[in-house]
């Protein structure tokens, strides 16, 4: 048990480094983009990202949980690992075709997307590149450092390019282009690491990929239910309200997402160990340690909401303070919801 706890601690630490990077890079670019882009233009960025969250969920299809379990059970057998890797990637290609069709329909149906179709297409390309990075393989092998390094490299490229080249609304298309460059660099790093492991993509065939899709459907439904509500709200707001209001909502959701991203290293870090040990005592220990910290953070956010929004996004986004305060209960209950989700159940 002690060995598993140490391994889970190491995984959680590496995932925390990655999630700190997930917070730092967007919080670096958010104040910059909200100041160099007009509010309607930033609303377009927010809206397209909300739509892409659904496409990313579809392409991920819960494989970060189901395929991670398969990798753990493969017990370092390279032939099994190669088959699992190949079958999952084939399944993701099948999902990519479905996601592309869905994106095309949504783009034609919603005016804000239709008028920014090329931005949508480039954003979808970035989602495809991101979802081919085989995170499940490294999670299952307890090599979280690979995920951390490739993520930092990817975001460093896109962030530096954003500061160097994006100056106004005419540079809007550069945002997804730089994201694609970063994701492509991350993919190269991942392929190098896979080669070092002696693993290759060796799919068993469409039938096995289809079986994996069916087995992962439950995980997909769970992730869709627990993570897509924010994107759905943004999607509906963009249909009925103008781009400026979408921008206000998007800033709030990005801050809420930054807080929630602090929780995922814990749940993802202990997931492989919980598959092996099923220790409820471990879950209880984590809950006792972290819930007081979560409560303190939520209290701070309530009383300092205006200062936080003004600092991060600029004075023109202070109008979003009431919305931010209404979302604080989400930040509080999300930790327990995530902890009692797949790691426990």
């Amino acid at each position: 048990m002690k060995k598993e706890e140490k391994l889970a601690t190491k995984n959680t630490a590496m995932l925390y480094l990655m999630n700190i990077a997930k917070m730092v890079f967007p919080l670096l670019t958010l104040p910059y983009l909200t100041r160099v882009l007009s509010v309607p233009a930033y609303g377009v960025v927010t809206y397209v990202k909300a739509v892409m969250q659904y496409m990313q969920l579809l392409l991920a299809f819960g494989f970060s949980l189901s395929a991670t379990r398969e990798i753990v059970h493969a017990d370092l057998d390279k032939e099994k690992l190669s088959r699992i890797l190949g079958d999952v990637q084939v399944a993701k290609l099948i999902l990519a075709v479905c996601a592309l069709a869905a994106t095309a329909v949504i783009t034609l149906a919603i005016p804000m997307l239709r008028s920014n179709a090329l931005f949508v297409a480039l954003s979808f390309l970035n989602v495809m590149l991101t979802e081919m990075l085989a995170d499940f393989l490294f999670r299952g092998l307890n090599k979280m450092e690979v995920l951390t390094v490739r993520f930092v490299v990817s975001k460093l490229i896109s962030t530096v390019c954003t500061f160097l080249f994006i100056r106004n609304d005419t540079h809007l298309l550069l945002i997804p282009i730089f994201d694609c460059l970063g994701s492509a660099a991350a993919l190269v790093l991942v392929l190098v690491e896979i080669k070092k492991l002696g693993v290759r993509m060796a799919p068993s065939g469409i039938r096995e990929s289809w079986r994996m899709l069916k087995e992962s459907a439950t995980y997909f439904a769970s992730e869709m239910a627990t993570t897509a509500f924010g994107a759905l709200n943004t999607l509906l707001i963009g249909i009925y309200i103008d781009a400026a209001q979408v921008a206000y909502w998007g800033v709030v959701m990005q801050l809420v997402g930054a807080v929630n991203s602090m929780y995922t290293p814990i749940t993802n870090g202990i997931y492989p160990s919980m598959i092996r040990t099923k220790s409820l005592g471990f879950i209880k220990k984590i809950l006792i340690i972290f819930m007081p910290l979560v409560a303190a953070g939520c209290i701070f956010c309530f009383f300092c909401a205006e200062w936080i929004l003004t600092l991060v996004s600029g004075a023109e986004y202070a109008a979003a303070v009431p919305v931010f305060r209404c979302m604080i209960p989400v930040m509080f209950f999300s930790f327990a919801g995530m902890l009692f989700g797949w790691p426990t159940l």
Side-chain angles (χ1 to χ4, degrees):
M1 177 62 69
K2 293 297 181 182
K3 179 181 177 182
E4 290 294 342
E5 289 190 10
K6 287 181 180 178
L7 193 56
T9 301
K10 175 209 165 191
N11 291 340
T12 300
M14 293 308 302
L15 287 173
Y16 251 114
L17 289 175
M18 185 171 73
N19 275 50
I20 288 171
K22 282 185 177 180
M23 285 195 306
V24 168
F25 286 114
L27 290 178
L28 284 174
T29 56
L30 174 61
Y32 181 75
L33 290 176
T34 54
R35 287 165 173 80
V36 300
L37 299 178
S38 65
V39 173
Y42 187 73
V44 170
V45 174
T46 298
Y47 194 66
V48 173
K49 284 186 177 180
V51 174
M52 289 303 116
Q53 283 184 37
Y54 279 100
M55 299 306 115
Q56 192 151 11
L57 280 171
L58 179 58
L59 288 176
F61 209 74
F63 284 123
S64 63
L65 294 167
S66 64
T68 296
R69 182 193 62 193
E70 298 267 354
I71 295 295
V72 171
H73 290 161
D75 199 25
L76 301 180
D77 185 317
K78 291 183 180 179
E79 288 189 11
K80 289 182 181 178
L81 293 176
S82 297
R83 286 199 299 271
I84 295 167
L85 177 62
D87 291 335
V88 172
Q89 298 298 62
V90 169
K92 289 197 173 194
L93 289 175
I94 295 170
L95 293 168
V97 174
C98 299
L100 180 61
T103 301
V105 171
I106 293 171
T107 301
L108 292 173
I110 299 176
M112 192 185 302
L113 298 180
R114 190 165 60 246
S115 58
N116 295 277
L118 184 54
F119 188 97
V120 175
L122 290 169
S123 298
F124 181 79
L125 176 60
N126 179 57
V127 169
M128 280 192 61
L129 289 172
T130 301
E131 285 306 318
M132 298 305 289
L133 294 177
D135 284 6
F136 61 90
L137 175 65
F138 301 105
R139 290 183 192 276
L141 294 175
N142 290 311
K143 291 186 173 291
M144 306 300 185
E145 65 276 7
V146 176
L147 305 185
T148 302
V149 170
R150 65 92 180 157
F151 180 84
V152 170
V153 169
S154 171
K155 291 305 176 186
L156 188 61
I157 290 172
S158 60
T159 300
V160 170
C161 288
T162 295
F163 284 123
L164 289 178
F165 299 107
I166 296 176
R167 294 286 180 267
N168 51 54
D169 290 1
T170 61
H171 300 148
L172 199 63
L173 284 176
L174 291 177
I175 295 174
I177 289 174
F178 293 151
D179 287 341
C180 288
L181 286 176
S183 296
L187 184 58
V188 171
L189 292 176
V190 165
L191 292 174
V192 170
E193 290 297 329
I194 290 174
K195 187 175 181 180
K196 286 181 182 177
L197 291 171
V199 177
R200 57 192 176 84
M201 283 188 283
S204 308
I206 295 294
R207 181 174 296 180
E208 184 61 21
S209 295
W210 183 249
R211 179 194 68 79
M212 286 191 152
L213 283 170
K214 289 193 291 184
E215 287 193 0
S216 195
T218 302
Y219 296 89
F220 167 69
S222 174
E223 289 193 334
M224 178 67 77
T226 56
T227 63
F229 77 95
L232 177 61
N233 289 338
T234 306
L235 189 66
L236 295 176
I237 287 170
I239 293 173
Y240 297 107
I241 304 177
D242 61 43
Q245 297 299 318
V246 174
Y248 295 144
W249 173 258
V251 165
V252 170
M253 290 308 297
Q254 191 158 346
L255 291 173
V256 173
V259 173
N260 285 346
S261 70
M262 293 296 292
Y263 306 154
T264 53
I266 301 170
T267 56
N268 288 343
I270 68 174
Y271 180 68
S273 294
M274 286 299 294
I275 290 175
R276 298 184 189 95
T277 65
K278 301 178 175 62
S279 171
L280 291 177
F282 192 26
I283 295 292
K284 182 180 178 181
K285 186 187 300 183
I286 290 173
L287 194 66
I288 291 172
I289 291 171
F290 286 99
M291 281 308 295
L293 298 175
V294 171
C298 289
I299 292 170
F300 173 80
C301 287
F302 182 85
F303 287 105
C304 300
E306 185 172 355
W307 176 78
I308 292 170
L309 282 166
T310 302
L311 176 67
V312 171
S313 307
E316 58 188 342
Y317 285 84
V321 168
V323 178
F324 182 58
R325 284 177 172 159
C326 287
M327 295 301 293
I328 288 175
V330 173
M331 295 188 287
F332 179 77
F333 289 109
S334 289
F335 179 74
M338 293 164 69
L339 186 64
F340 287 122
W342 287 110
T344 304
L345 297 179

